[in-house]
Amino acid sequence: MCAVRRHISQTRGVSLSTTHLSPLCFMLLLVHLLSLVVPVCLEEREGEEGSGAEEQPHFLHDQLTLNVSVQLGSTAHLHCRLAGITEQSVSWYRKTGDEIQLITFDFQTYHNDDRFALNFEQPNDWRLRIRFVQRRDEGSYQCQVSTHPPLIRTIHLQVVEASIQILDERGVELREKFYREGSTIELQCLVADVPTATALQLAWYHHQHRLNYDDPRGGVSLKTELRGSVARSWLRVTQAGRRDSGIYYCNVTNLAAASVTIHVVPDEYPAAIQRAASVSASSVTVLAAVLASLTAALLAAAPPPHR
């Protein structure tokens, strides 16, 4: 209730004594006081009603339908940020055609695959976590709030598999390559078909040793470029020596690695490889001729088939 006495006492120039007032003046004074008090009472009532109003449940997302791509084998987090939740329940479902499968209800998980779980993140994210994402996990997932009608946010999950290649300076994919002593080893690591390349970390290794620009060997330079769904990293090793031979790895954090075998040989060694290749080719030709002669002889000596 409004404090009428307080408002009356604060009215300047108004006496509370009505002993010497005529009935008409008294009525006029009363109307005047009411005109001052009623608006104040209404303001107080509106303030009380406004302060007691409850916030209604709502999503803290601009988009209620979203497409999300995740890397095969990684961990996916499907976000559902909410405000105004009091007694309402929050559930995650997977929808396949007309079939709906319950995954979580509030903080309980009802999926028979323990890769799925509610991973609530303070202060308001009812996010669904899927570990070791598989191809079969693709589909539509819904975060639902038990209002009337229910609030629903749908996420379409796509699982992608990155491709990792090591290329030479001409862009040709490598498994093995020979370099002359004193030359420069130039390798490129190409990672494609990833959800977000900027989230990747690429590293080069020679056997188990990680290579960097400040490597004690010297002459090592690295350059990395992350754009869209493609990541590239270039490795240059100058003044290659025999100690630089071996297996080189391009390692992509949380994905996989690609490798190439590098041989650093003296100048005369490639010529020896060519001579060995020509000898091997001649040997194969001679061997093929011998096998053909033996096959013909066996066929001639074989008895005719019975009729």
Side-chain angles (χ1 to χ4, degrees), residues 114-217:
D114 61 4
R115 296 180 304 115
F116 291 79
L118 184 80
N119 187 214
F120 184 81
E121 185 179 41
Q122 293 291 350
N124 51 30
D125 193 357
W126 296 73
R127 64 181 184 177
L128 178 67
R129 184 197 66 199
I130 310 174
R131 296 184 300 136
F132 310 115
V133 172
Q134 306 297 315
R135 288 284 188 188
R136 65 177 183 270
D137 299 329
E138 285 190 332
S140 298
Y141 295 81
Q142 292 184 339
C143 177
Q144 187 173 122
V145 183
S146 62
T147 55
H148 299 285
L151 298 176
I152 298 176
R153 184 172 196 247
T154 302
I155 297 178
H156 303 291
L157 181 67
Q158 180 185 14
V159 180
V160 297
E161 183 174 6
S163 64
I164 306 175
Q165 297 176 303
I166 295 182
L167 315 176
D168 64 9
E169 60 275 11
R170 298 169 298 169
V172 177
E173 185 176 5
L174 296 176
R175 290 287 181 268
E176 184 177 30
K177 186 167 183 179
F178 289 82
Y179 286 90
R180 291 185 174 88
E181 284 185 317
S183 63
T184 298
I185 299 174
E186 295 185 71
L187 301 175
Q188 177 189 164
C189 180
L190 174 63
V191 184
D193 300 325
V194 292
T196 307
T198 53
L200 300 180
Q201 293 183 356
L202 280 67
W204 286 94
Y205 289 84
H206 180 214
H207 296 300
Q208 303 302 318
H209 173 66
R210 182 169 179 171
L211 299 172
N212 212 331
Y213 68 93
D214 57 354
D215 193 278
R217 177 206 179 279

Side-chain angles (χ1 to χ4, degrees), residues 238-251:
T238 60
Q239 294 296 314
R242 294 196 181 185
R243 62 176 179 173
D244 299 313
S245 296
I247 301 177
Y248 286 76
Y249 297 93
C250 173
N251 183 62

Side-chain angles (χ1 to χ4, degrees), residues 89-106:
S89 61
V90 179
S91 307
W92 275 99
Y93 297 87
R94 182 176 181 181
K95 187 174 182 181
T96 306
D98 295 331
E99 180 182 351
I100 297 179
Q101 179 185 15
L102 176 64
I103 302 175
T104 66
F105 183 84
D106 285 339

